[in-house]
Amino acid sequence: MDFGFDIATLTLLSIPLISAFVGWFTNFLALKMMFYPMEFIGIKPFFGWQGLIPAKRKEMAEISAELVLGKLLNASELATKIDASELTKGIQRRLKQVLRKTVNDVMRESAPQLWASLPVHAKNLVYARIEADLPNVVCNMVEDFKHNVEEIVDVTELVVTKLMESPEIINEIFLRSGEKEFPFVEHSGFIFGLLFGFPTMFVWMHFPEWWILPLGGLIVGYLTNWLALKVIFEPKHPTKILGLTIQGMFLKRQNEVSDVYSAIIEAKLMTSENILQTALYGSGSEQLLELMELHVNDAIDRYIAIAQPYFTLSIGSDTYYKMREMTSKRIFEDAEKFMPYSFDYINKTLNIAEELSSRMKKLSPEEFEGVLRPAYEADEWKLILTGSLLGMGAGFMQLYLVFM
């Protein structure tokens, strides 16, 4: 049976088919270029490429810290959830062991003869006195920490530092948050490319100039990438068109994306371990040391006043103050030995994912779009330009291979 298809007709039909392939491939490549490679490959600053998201990780980190963790979650508000007595229960046993070693080391270094002359039962009385007062000291210290948490733990510093160190976390945030949108972007390129290919075919039929196919390829590459990005975020609000309610795909899934985003923030960024690291080694570490010195010094003064009023005179005031300073620093430096025992309690109490998610769900579409898109929006033109150039290149290849 003759369907009337000759070589010329099949050649013409190849235009929309190749256009569909170009649309799919340019969108597929655009997605890859958003996330990979993690680090710049090539000759800086122009000859090479780095994924748009990893390249913008600093901006992304600052946006996350400012918009989400700054406006939706407040460090002081989170800290108020911590019960000092419950936290003390978690670390008390390990802290007692650390303190015994600290007292022993400090006394042997600052007052070796005095400490060596004390019988074992006297030393045990010292340990017992410290351990009995431990819950009171820790509770007071925790309460002061809660009131000064914003000075000690800089959330912006925490988030920016971790995301700069681990760009794969940013990729994970985007890939998991947009796990339903990105396959659509890829597949829609084929459909849009096919639809845009028919006008090119009709123009070529009536006006077969050499530049028509490269120009058509350029337009297809441009439109497929541009449209794919648009349908993810536009329209921002539910809009009626021909009786159908449409909204940007990403914005339509605000509740689902909020849960995914918040879970990653809690699991990878706002962890108890990261908070501790920021407190001990971040810009607020000096404030934490000062706070610790205040309470440790107060406790030591009370112990000495009760146990041995003339202790300071016997070892000298310089040695005494050195001993207090040494004790505070040792406890500060050993915080990583006992604080991890409180992590389970802190994670359960802060419940950052649930708190953050519930607040993200209440954001307006404009605010919600600002959670992810601004980090790379300024560079979207690079993806669209790349798609356009690839489409034009495909048009030249088609011109050469099929019509020459």
Side-chain angles (χ1 to χ4, degrees), residues 3 72 102 113 132 232 253 271 281 298 363-364 377:
F3 289 97
L72 299 183
T102 299
Q113 293 181 343
I232 291 179
R253 292 199 308 117
T271 65
Y281 306 112
D298 176 68
L363 292 173
S364 67
E377 186 175 17

Side-chain angles (χ1 to χ4, degrees), residues 174-190:
F174 276 88
L175 289 170
R176 286 185 55 191
S177 296
E179 61 186 358
K180 294 186 178 178
E181 285 74 30
F182 293 137
F184 168 80
V185 170
E186 185 178 329
H187 300 149
S188 68
F190 183 89

Side-chain angles (χ1 to χ4, degrees), residues 197-264:
F198 283 108
T200 305
M201 181 185 72
F202 289 124
V203 171
W204 174 265
M205 288 172 59
H206 298 93
F207 195 67
E209 293 292 329
W210 68 268
W211 49 268
I212 293 296
L213 293 181
L215 178 62
L218 184 146
I219 294 172
V220 168
Y222 173 87
L223 289 178
T224 51
N225 281 13
W226 180 81
L227 268 176
L229 290 171
K230 279 295 180 183
V231 297
I232 291 179
F233 295 104
E234 302 288 345
K236 291 183 175 59
H237 296 269
T239 304
K240 287 276 188 179
I241 298 179
L242 299 176
L244 297 175
T245 301
I246 63 172
Q247 185 182 14
M249 294 179 64
F250 179 76
L251 303 175
K252 187 185 295 185
R253 292 199 308 117
Q254 182 166 344
N255 287 352
E256 185 180 347
V257 173
S258 296
D259 289 337
V260 172
Y261 182 92
S262 302
I264 297 173

Side-chain angles (χ1 to χ4, degrees), residues 269-298:
L269 293 178
M270 293 296 291
T271 65
S272 297
E273 182 178 2
N274 288 347
I275 292 172
L276 175 63
Q277 290 292 317
T278 302
L280 292 177
Y281 306 112
S283 59
S285 60
E286 289 187 8
Q287 285 89 329
L288 178 60
L289 179 58
E290 288 176 7
L291 184 151
M292 192 172 290
E293 286 178 340
L294 177 68
H295 290 279
V296 170
N297 291 347
D298 176 68

